[in-house]
Amino acid sequence: MNRPSPQQSRYLVLWLAGFSLTAVLICWALYANWQNKRDGYLQQHSSIVATAYRASVDGYAVTTRFLVDEVLRKPQILNTFARGIDGDKRARGELFRLLAPTYDELVKHGIRQLHFHTPSGHSFLRFHALDKYDDPLFDVRPSLRITNTELRPVHGFESGRVISGFRYVHPLFDGQRHLGSVETSLTFRVIREAMMRIDPERDYLMVLHQDAIEGVVFSDNRGLYAPWKMNPDYFVEDPHLTLPDSPPPPRAEVRHLNRMMAENPAIHAQMATGATFTLTKEWEQQDWAITFLPVLDVSQQLSAYIVSYAMTPYLNTLRMEFIYTIGLILVAIAAVFTIAYLLWRSLALKAMEGDRFAAITNTIGEGIYVLDAGGKVTFINPAFTELLEFNDKEVVGRTGHELFHLHNRNGIDVPLDQCPIYTSVAKGLIFEGEEVFRTRSGQALDVAVVSRPILDKEGQPDGSSVTAFRDISARIQMEKDLHRKTADLQRTNTDLLRLGEVMAHHFQESTRRMATFARLLRDKPGVNADPDSRQAITFIDEQAGRLTRLVLRAQRYLELDETPPGETAAGDVRALIHLTINASVAADADLHLAPDLPCLPLPQNRLHRILKIIFDNSGHYRRSDTPLAIKVIAVNHPEQLELRIADNGSGIDPANRDKVLELFTNLTSGNNAGSGLALVRRIMRLAGGDLRLEDGIDGGIAVVLMFNR
């Protein structure tokens, strides 16, 4: 076998080096892409957990508000509570007997605590701990202090003397007299169950910061808390299930994951900042996403974290896609079908995750109602009540069209069979549009509506529908304000243009007379013989001409907003450049044009004006020791097209390039008005583009016209 020659060996080494470098670059690019997809997917997990948590907590806030308004603010309850505040020792027992049935029902629905407090923040009656009362709570319960001093409802997470929970505290009044407050409290178990109803594929755990326990919990209840394996600064509440309403213990998989990630420094660092974050862990060939959601108390201090555990097969799909793609690229192109399959599978899984996330967030953020085939309301969500003020008892069973669909603001009724929403859905079509709804108080509300028919098992519309809507009043008002301001601006521009025309007329008339009188003086006998007189007349004539040019440039600048732009530029830009430069003071320049100049998105009359100004500047500021040269090329970018016109003239100092783009700025001592490049920039910006100045040929200047695609 012949050995390779030194040259062949060098080629082999270069080929291997090139192949290795290419492989490294491809692998790096694919790795960065994989990381971006992975991070975006984990961010979705964080958003899903945060949305489920907020929906669960806010949902029970509505329930508690209903309890307080309909039950606890009855005269008999308030009178009994008032007697207790005034010192009647029997009132505490009477209040317990009056509300014991209610409390039993609350317990069945997961509301564990019902607790009355005095205005000074002392416990009056704990239904869950009848033997503990009269203890001061303001120092350990900020929610009670806020409610009883600011006299407003407060809800959120807060540590307690017995056990922590989600508090809903409302002030109580007997007429104008402030009696104190009442609270209901939920354990994390209730919130956990609500979150799992929204997303049943997850498991949840809550851990409390040690500052939320120390000095707050009764000393005899301190044994209910145990340090958390992942972070010793946090504690697990009632891990041995001493209390009946504690959440069930984590699944075996969750406990194993906690042990695997114990003392992870990344967890300590992130939790110390109070951030929301998601980490991953692989166990028994399954990927898990572990999401950490901070829980703030009513004082907006970090008190706890909700930790979510979910299997994430999509992460494994992403990882395998990354490995397979690299292998297939390096091995052979024949594996394209495998790559396409993996890509399709990854996109499908991602779309499923996206749809589930959209379903959770969209159904919470907008008002939703469901109609049967007869147009009667069968369901509304809390956002419906918040937007239209109707509760479910006032709406369910009634015809929604007659109750809250106003259609317009002129008071003209529209029959149900002519309602665009109802008729579209009845035909099995989707309705999307803007309508006017009526609130319970009679106010008109502009809304954006999307209504879809509900399909039966055969995929056919059954006559019922589900409709989502959102308030767009602010947007419509903003559009009206914008229209008004635009009209005001147009009137102002018209006035300015008229003012410019009047001023231009008077300035031009004055300068014309100055020039005429200068010529008359020059023709008088003896004037030319006097050098001082001749110099003065020449100065008057030059300044009159300069003032005329200045007024003309200013008038052209103001006319740009009003002058019609003309037709679109012709495709032959080269011909227009030749025509323009021949009519300029740079007609003798050595012109170099790129062969592939494209059609520019600018009206031809304005492009001609721009080119004329640039070529005249090149001619005026040429160097005396070098023939003038001008080069025009086009540069294509993904989002922008540039036309670069460079010359070899005297150039512009980089420190002054921004100044020459300002109106009436002239860096020389000549009679130029200093408005040419400012006019060019004005034309470009009116067309949605811009310009910049950069180094040209051999110290000259280059004007770059930038057109957005």
Side-chain angles (χ1 to χ4, degrees):
M1 177 180 294
N2 295 329
R3 298 183 63 183
S5 65
Q7 185 177 10
Q8 289 175 331
S9 298
R10 286 195 297 270
Y11 285 154
L12 178 60
V13 171
L14 290 175
W15 183 87
L16 290 174
F19 177 82
S20 299
L21 179 61
T22 303
V24 169
L25 292 175
I26 292 176
C27 292
W28 178 84
L30 291 174
Y31 177 78
N33 180 61
W34 170 63
Q35 285 287 80
N36 288 335
K37 288 184 178 180
R38 178 179 177 275
D39 293 343
Y41 175 72
L42 295 180
Q43 182 61 39
Q44 284 191 1
H45 273 270
S46 298
S47 299
I48 290 172
V49 174
T51 302
Y53 167 71
R54 180 49 51 196
S56 302
V57 172
D58 291 346
Y60 276 101
V62 175
T63 302
T64 299
R65 186 166 60 246
F66 176 81
L67 169 69
V68 172
D69 292 340
E70 300 297 327
V71 178
L72 301 183
R73 287 180 175 154
K74 290 182 177 179
Q76 185 179 12
I77 302 298
L78 295 177
N79 290 336
T80 304
F81 184 33
R83 286 193 293 107
I85 296 299
D86 293 335
D88 188 345
K89 296 183 178 180
R90 297 176 300 174
R92 184 177 287 106
E94 293 179 19
L95 186 60
F96 173 76
R97 288 189 293 274
L98 286 173
L99 292 176
T102 301
Y103 177 66
D104 292 340
E105 289 298 319
L106 293 178
V107 172
K108 293 178 182 178
H109 291 84
I111 300 178
R112 186 181 64 83
Q113 291 188 15
L114 180 61
H115 190 182
F116 285 81
H117 329 93
T118 68
S120 61
H122 288 72
S123 172
F124 179 77
L125 175 60
R126 287 183 174 94
F127 276 72
H128 60 286
L130 298 175
D131 58 329
K132 295 181 179 180
Y133 54 88
D134 283 341
D135 51 306
L137 298 174
F138 272 180
D139 291 340
V140 295
R141 295 287 309 282
S143 62
L144 302 185
R145 185 179 66 254
I146 294 172
T147 299
N148 285 282
T149 56
E150 300 181 13
L151 304 183
R152 62 179 178 87
V154 175
H155 78 271
F157 178 80
E158 190 176 63
S159 301
R161 296 294 245 169
V162 178
I163 198 168
S164 300
F166 294 84
R167 318 291 185 179
Y168 301 85
V169 188
H170 291 258
L172 292 178
F173 298 88
D174 187 5
Q176 297 298 320
R177 180 188 178 189
H178 173 219
L179 299 178
S181 58
V182 63
E183 72 165 312
T184 59
S185 178
L186 307 173
T187 63
F188 174 65
R189 175 175 184 168
V190 179
I191 299 298
R192 175 180 178 272
E193 291 172 352
M195 294 176 69
M196 293 186 70
R197 285 194 294 270
I198 296 175
D199 190 357
E201 296 184 7
R202 297 178 183 273
D203 199 356
Y204 298 93
L205 174 68
M206 186 173 189
V207 292
L208 305 179
H209 195 276
Q210 59 183 2
D211 292 342
I213 300 173
E214 298 294 341
V216 178
V217 178
F218 283 131
S219 58
D220 54 350
N221 290 328
R222 186 63 176 79
L224 292 175
Y225 298 86
W228 189 37
K229 293 184 181 297
M230 279 199 198
N231 189 343
D233 293 337
Y234 285 80
F235 287 76
V236 179
E237 189 176 65
D238 195 16
H240 303 297
L241 304 181
T242 303
L243 299 177
D245 48 4
S246 296
R251 292 180 294 176
E253 299 95 326
V254 172
R255 294 196 299 271
H256 189 82
L257 288 170
N258 287 343
R259 289 192 296 271
M260 292 175 63
M261 301 186 70
E263 300 299 326
N264 186 329
I267 296 176
H268 292 211
Q270 293 272 39
M271 294 181 73
T273 65
T276 300
F277 60 98
T278 298
L279 301 178
T280 61
K281 193 67 177 178
E282 183 179 358
W283 179 54
E284 292 188 352
Q285 298 182 348
Q286 289 286 349
D287 287 293
W288 289 76
I290 306 172
T291 300
F292 296 77
L293 178 70
V295 177
L296 305 182
D297 61 17
V298 296
S299 299
Q300 299 303 301
Q301 299 297 316
L302 178 63
S303 291
Y305 260 90
I306 291 178
V307 187
S308 164
Y309 303 82
M311 286 191 295
T312 55
Y314 180 62
L315 287 180
N316 181 63
T317 302
L318 278 181
R319 183 167 52 251
M320 296 308 297
E321 175 189 321
F322 168 64
I323 296 173
Y324 289 161
T325 303
I326 291 178
L328 293 174
I329 288 177
L330 299 178
V331 173
I333 198 172
V336 170
F337 292 101
T338 304
I339 297 175
Y341 168 74
L342 291 175
L343 181 61
W344 171 83
R345 188 174 67 174
S346 67
L347 292 176
L349 288 175
K350 188 173 183 179
M352 291 173 60
E353 293 284 349
D355 291 343
R356 184 172 65 178
F357 174 74
I360 294 173
T361 55
N362 292 344
T363 55
I364 293 174
E366 299 180 342
I368 295 176
Y369 64 89
V370 178
L371 300 180
D372 62 16
K376 293 184 177 181
V377 180
T378 60
F379 168 80
I380 63 173
N381 72 335
F384 179 101
T385 302
E386 181 179 350
L387 291 171
L388 298 185
E389 303 171 2
F390 292 101
N391 59 44
D392 54 353
K393 292 183 178 180
E394 296 170 323
V395 176
V396 173
R398 299 182 60 180
T399 303
H401 174 83
E402 299 173 353
L403 185 62
F404 55 80
H405 197 173
L406 194 60
H407 282 286
N408 51 64
R409 296 175 179 270
N410 55 21
I412 300 176
D413 293 331
V414 176
L416 178 63
D417 58 2
Q418 297 180 16
C419 172
I421 300 178
Y422 181 79
T423 54
S424 296
V425 173
K427 297 176 183 178
L429 304 176
I430 298 174
F431 175 85
E432 294 188 29
E434 297 180 359
E435 292 289 331
V436 181
F437 282 4
R438 177 172 46 228
T439 67
R440 188 177 183 276
S441 59
Q443 298 295 321
L445 181 69
D446 293 295
V447 293
V449 180
V450 177
S451 185
R452 297 175 179 269
I454 297 177
L455 307 180
D456 57 21
K457 295 181 179 179
E458 286 73 29
Q460 299 298 319
D462 62 4
S464 58
S465 64
V466 58
T467 302
F469 64 94
R470 68 179 187 278
D471 182 5
I472 59 172
S473 302
R475 192 204 75 194
I476 291 179
Q477 183 60 43
M478 183 170 58
E479 290 174 351
K480 292 179 180 178
D481 293 342
L482 180 60
H483 179 75
R484 176 178 55 78
K485 291 179 180 178
T486 302
D488 293 342
L489 182 59
Q490 289 176 344
R491 287 193 296 270
T492 302
N493 286 340
T494 301
D495 293 341
L496 287 175
L497 181 60
R498 177 56 182 162
L499 177 62
E501 292 174 350
V502 172
M503 292 181 66
H505 171 75
H506 289 290
F507 273 118
Q508 289 173 347
E509 181 64 21
S510 298
T511 54
R512 184 185 65 79
R513 292 179 180 180
M514 290 172 60
T516 300
F517 281 116
R519 286 193 296 272
L520 291 175
L521 287 173
R522 185 184 294 112
D523 295 337
K524 283 185 174 294
V527 172
N528 285 327
D530 181 9
D532 292 338
S533 299
R534 188 169 58 252
Q535 182 180 4
I537 293 172
T538 301
F539 178 77
I540 292 173
D541 195 24
E542 290 176 351
Q543 294 304 311
R546 185 173 186 270
L547 184 58
T548 300
R549 291 190 295 274
L550 179 66
V551 171
L552 180 61
R553 289 288 179 89
Q555 189 174 13
R556 288 177 178 175
Y557 190 89
L558 292 174
E559 287 176 348
L560 283 176
D561 287 329
E562 300 294 331
T563 304
E567 300 296 331
T568 303
D572 192 356
V573 177
R574 294 169 56 88
L576 182 61
I577 292 175
H578 279 292
L579 177 66
T580 306
I581 198 171
N582 289 333
S584 71
V585 296
D588 60 335
D590 183 11
L591 179 64
H592 299 272
L593 297 182
D596 55 348
L597 294 180
C599 179
L600 301 177
L602 189 70
Q604 182 165 330
N605 59 339
R606 293 193 172 180
L607 179 59
H608 172 72
R609 180 180 292 186
I610 287 176
L611 295 173
K612 181 69 164 57
I613 292 172
I614 295 174
F615 292 149
D616 281 344
N617 281 351
S618 296
H620 285 306
Y621 300 106
R622 69 176 71 197
R623 290 208 300 261
S624 60
D625 59 342
T626 305
L628 178 62
I630 297 177
K631 183 178 182 180
V632 183
I633 64 171
V635 182
N636 281 289
H637 299 289
E639 298 181 356
Q640 198 173 67
L641 171 64
E642 295 181 355
L643 185 70
R644 189 176 189 274
I645 306 172
D647 64 30
N648 64 342
S650 58
I652 301 174
D653 191 319
N656 295 324
R657 289 176 183 175
D658 288 337
K659 294 181 182 179
V660 300
L661 297 179
E662 299 175 0
L663 192 61
F664 305 136
T665 299
N666 186 7
L667 301 179
T668 67
S669 58
N671 292 324
N672 195 341
S675 60
L677 290 178
L679 187 61
V680 172
R681 182 168 69 171
R682 177 68 170 161
I683 295 174
M684 288 299 299
R685 288 184 174 178
L686 286 175
D690 209 337
L691 70 80
R692 71 175 185 270
L693 301 179
E694 58 188 32
D695 293 337
I697 305 169
D698 296 333
I701 193 69
V703 181
V704 182
L705 307 178
M706 299 177 289
F707 301 90
N708 293 325
R709 295 187 182 277

